[in-house]
Amino acid sequence: TREVEAGGAGLEALERGAAGGGMGNSSMDGAFEKVGGGSMSSVTSEDLDGGKRGRVGAAKMREKLSVMAYLSAWIMSSVVSLFYANQLLKNNRQIGEDVFTVWQLACSVLYGLIFTKVCRMHELTELTRDQVRAIIPLSLAYLIKELLKYASLGRVSVNLFNTIRSLGPFFSIVLEITFMKHYPTSGMVGALAPIIGGVAATSLDEMNVAVDSSQLFVYGVGLIAAITSTAINNAQNIYSKILFGQKKIDPISLQIYLSAMSFLMIMPYKATSSLTFGGVDSLMATLFPSRQLCVQLAICGFINFLASQMAFSTLHKISPVSYSVSNTFKRVVITVGAVLVFNERLSFLNGAGIATSIFGVFLYERAVRSYKQARLYEQHHEPRTTV
């Protein structure tokens, strides 16, 4: 879910995107080859230009293949992470969202330290004291968001959860108006109509099924948890922008620190509650239900961590426009996978609601891009006055 959803899932790196990196090649005015007793013969410029074009062409092809590999890995790991978590939570009622969250946070910290300290694939940013104090409330929000996310995934369908996540732009607009006094354009506001309409249609269809199966309360809890998780995720992103300003923490390091602090927040509560009612045996049975389930939870944690890293890496290889289109495609893949692989029900109203919400998100992201491009143009073409 990575709406990090992905919940979380959801920070400053998603605003920053990545500017495409050009590949430089050292230029040569001429090339010479020694022959015999010091005589020199020059290589023609046509030969040099042809070789240079060949190297540039091969480099561009390698770059395209690399981008395609990252995109495929990101989309597949995100989709698998979402469905795997959904199946684990629904098929293993002995673990609740709290135990599941403990495992995911612990795995995120463990794999993150292996990624940064053992494999040295990324440098872990060192925090200042002010940053540590600032991250504490952010970690609390992150913990609540993760708990609600898994509470929702264990109660509603993947399609409904994924559709509700489309409400992100709505909460972003409301929060930015409230706390940052940033007012949206008419294009952004207009895009909210299909988003809200699509989510409402999908939710009503799911609720009708819940009434028929006497699961209305369960679906209601899952629906509220998904909406609240989405709202917290967007509030967390905005808080991060205000909090760090120019002294930003890179997304990979931030994820590791948030997971570590959130783990330290939830573990005392979980340990105390288990020890109070059942002692050490109850605590061990709660956190480690069975060997097979522990392996599955560790695998799920790895896939979740991989999805987050692939999202960050992909952002540094493609433009924000390409990332937006890819994110829309990922939502389509989730819907198709839910129907074909996991046999989730897809009525006409449900399908129409999903398609409408995806279309609304696409319109919103396009409106945001147009607004940013217009602002950038104005900044570089301001009229200059001379005295």
Side-chain angles (χ1 to χ4, degrees):
T1 7
R2 263 343 107 195
E3 307 283 346
V4 176
E5 275 65 69
L11 300 173
E12 174 66 14
L14 297 177
E15 287 288 327
R16 197 166 59 246
M23 294 189 177
N25 290 283
S26 59
S27 61
M28 296 177 62
D29 295 329
F32 297 90
E33 180 183 11
K34 289 186 177 180
V35 179
S39 62
M40 314 287 285
S41 63
S42 63
V43 178
T44 64
S45 60
E46 288 80 3
D47 292 337
L48 281 175
D49 291 340
K52 183 186 240 184
R53 285 195 297 269
R55 290 193 299 272
V56 171
K60 287 183 177 180
M61 179 57 66
R62 287 194 299 269
E63 182 67 16
K64 288 181 180 179
L65 291 175
S66 174
V67 170
M68 290 176 61
Y70 272 96
L71 274 173
S72 301
W74 166 54
I75 292 175
M76 291 306 299
S77 58
S78 298
V79 172
V80 172
S81 173
L82 192 62
F83 282 111
Y84 198 16
N86 175 261
Q87 293 300 306
L88 275 180
L89 286 164
K90 287 190 172 181
N91 296 332
N92 299 278
R93 297 295 182 181
Q94 68 269 33
I95 58 169
E97 54 272 4
D98 52 350
V99 175
F100 195 91
T101 302
V102 168
W103 269 88
Q104 298 310 297
L105 294 174
C107 287
S108 182
V109 175
L110 175 62
Y111 298 136
L113 292 177
I114 293 175
F115 184 75
T116 56
K117 297 298 184 181
V118 179
C119 300
R120 298 189 179 279
M121 299 178 68
H122 184 83
E123 184 179 356
L124 186 64
T125 303
E126 293 185 5
L127 300 181
T128 64
R129 290 184 179 180
D130 291 339
Q131 288 175 328
V132 171
R133 286 194 293 267
I135 282 181
I136 292 176
L138 197 62
S139 301
L140 179 60
Y142 181 78
L143 173 60
I144 296 173
K145 182 199 71 174
E146 291 295 290
L147 285 169
L148 292 172
K149 169 187 170 182
Y150 294 124
S152 176
L153 273 175
R155 290 169 173 81
V156 300
S157 66
V158 173
N159 268 334
L160 179 59
F161 176 82
N162 186 50
T163 306
I164 291 174
R165 301 290 282 187
S166 302
L167 286 173
F170 169 77
F171 290 114
S172 293
I173 288 178
V174 172
L175 291 168
E176 288 195 7
I177 291 176
T178 304
F179 296 104
M180 302 177 69
K181 304 303 180 184
H182 289 175
Y183 294 93
T185 64
S186 57
M188 297 179 196
V189 175
L192 294 181
I195 294 176
I196 297 173
V199 171
T202 306
S203 302
L204 287 174
D205 184 74
E206 294 280 350
M207 285 301 171
N208 287 332
V209 176
V211 171
D212 296 337
S213 59
S214 301
Q215 295 290 320
L216 181 60
F217 178 76
V218 174
Y219 269 70
V221 172
L223 178 66
I224 295 173
I227 294 174
T228 310
S229 173
T230 303
I232 293 176
N233 181 64
N234 284 269
Q236 176 183 301
N237 292 340
I238 293 175
Y239 177 72
S240 299
K241 296 176 192 176
I242 301 174
L243 182 64
F244 298 114
Q246 298 300 319
K247 298 180 180 179
K248 298 180 179 66
I249 302 174
D250 67 276
I252 295 177
S253 299
L254 183 58
Q255 182 196 9
I256 296 173
Y257 286 125
L258 288 177
S259 298
M261 290 189 181
S262 298
F263 179 79
L264 294 176
M265 289 178 181
I266 192 174
M267 267 310 295
Y269 160 75
K270 194 61 191 171
T272 302
S273 60
S274 297
L275 290 172
T276 301
F277 294 102
V280 177
D281 293 339
S282 175
L283 176 62
M284 297 302 293
T286 300
L287 295 178
F288 306 98
S290 68
R291 180 178 298 178
Q292 180 182 0
L293 189 53
C294 288
V295 172
Q296 291 175 330
L297 289 169
I299 293 174
C300 185
F302 174 75
I303 299 174
N304 186 34
F305 177 79
L306 179 64
S308 298
Q309 303 313 309
M310 286 296 101
F312 297 141
S313 300
T314 303
L315 274 170
H316 285 79
K317 285 186 170 290
I318 62 177
S319 67
V321 176
S322 299
Y323 187 86
S324 173
V325 173
S326 302
N327 201 34
T328 302
F329 176 72
K330 185 185 74 172
R331 293 179 182 275
V332 176
V333 172
I334 290 174
T335 301
V336 174
V339 176
L340 297 181
V341 180
F342 294 95
N343 297 319
E344 286 196 3
R345 186 187 63 86
L346 185 67
S347 66
F348 175 78
L349 182 60
N350 200 332
I354 293 172
T356 303
S357 63
I358 292 175
F359 179 66
V361 171
F362 180 78
L363 290 179
Y364 175 83
E365 292 178 343
R366 190 173 69 170
V368 171
R369 289 196 304 271
S370 299
Y371 172 74
K372 289 182 178 179
Q373 290 172 357
R375 288 289 301 272
L376 187 63
Y377 180 84
E378 291 175 359
Q379 290 174 3
H380 287 81
H381 294 80
E382 290 181 355
R384 297 183 179 180
T385 58
T386 58
V387 180

